[in-house]
Amino acid sequence: MKALICCLGLAVVLYGQQPQATSSARDLSVTVGKSVLVDSPAVIERVAVSNGELAEAVVISPHEVMVNGRTVGETTLIIWQQGGNRLLFDLAVRRS
């Protein structure tokens, strides 16, 4: 019983610390061999592209990410912001 109460207490603590996520992904597109800039109102902590063969994301400044199109396809771009928020993008890399 003690273990159950401890686990429930831990779940409540962890739930209270969950970062807020964007409710849905935004559409973003880039052409192969080109770049687009994505601005963030909050300081960027890290970025990731789910398929690095299709696109590359480079943090240019604390509030700006450059996305480079590599190969045609679709992938996801995630930007983690200071404070726990995330920006989610459905990224389409198009032919030139």
Side-chain angles (χ1 to χ4, degrees), residues 28-33 49-56 67-77 89-96:
L28 180 66
S29 64
V30 63
T31 303
V32 172
V49 175
S50 61
N51 187 340
E53 293 180 11
L54 300 180
E56 169 188 42
V67 180
N68 301 311
R70 291 182 166 177
T71 304
V72 174
E74 294 183 358
T75 188
T76 302
L77 168 66
F89 294 91
D90 288 329
L91 177 60
V93 182
R94 308 281 185 219
R95 290 189 205 326
S96 56

Side-chain angles (χ1 to χ4, degrees), residues 2 8-9 13 15 17 19-22 34 36 44 55-56 59 67 73 78 80 84 87 90-91 94-96:
K2 245 184 189 181
L8 288 175
V13 169
Y15 180 77
Q17 294 177 353
Q20 296 175 338
T22 304
K34 304 273 184 165
V36 294
I44 297 166
E56 169 188 42
V59 177
V67 180
I78 304 172
W80 285 267
L87 301 177
D90 288 329
L91 177 60
R94 308 281 185 219
R95 290 189 205 326
S96 56

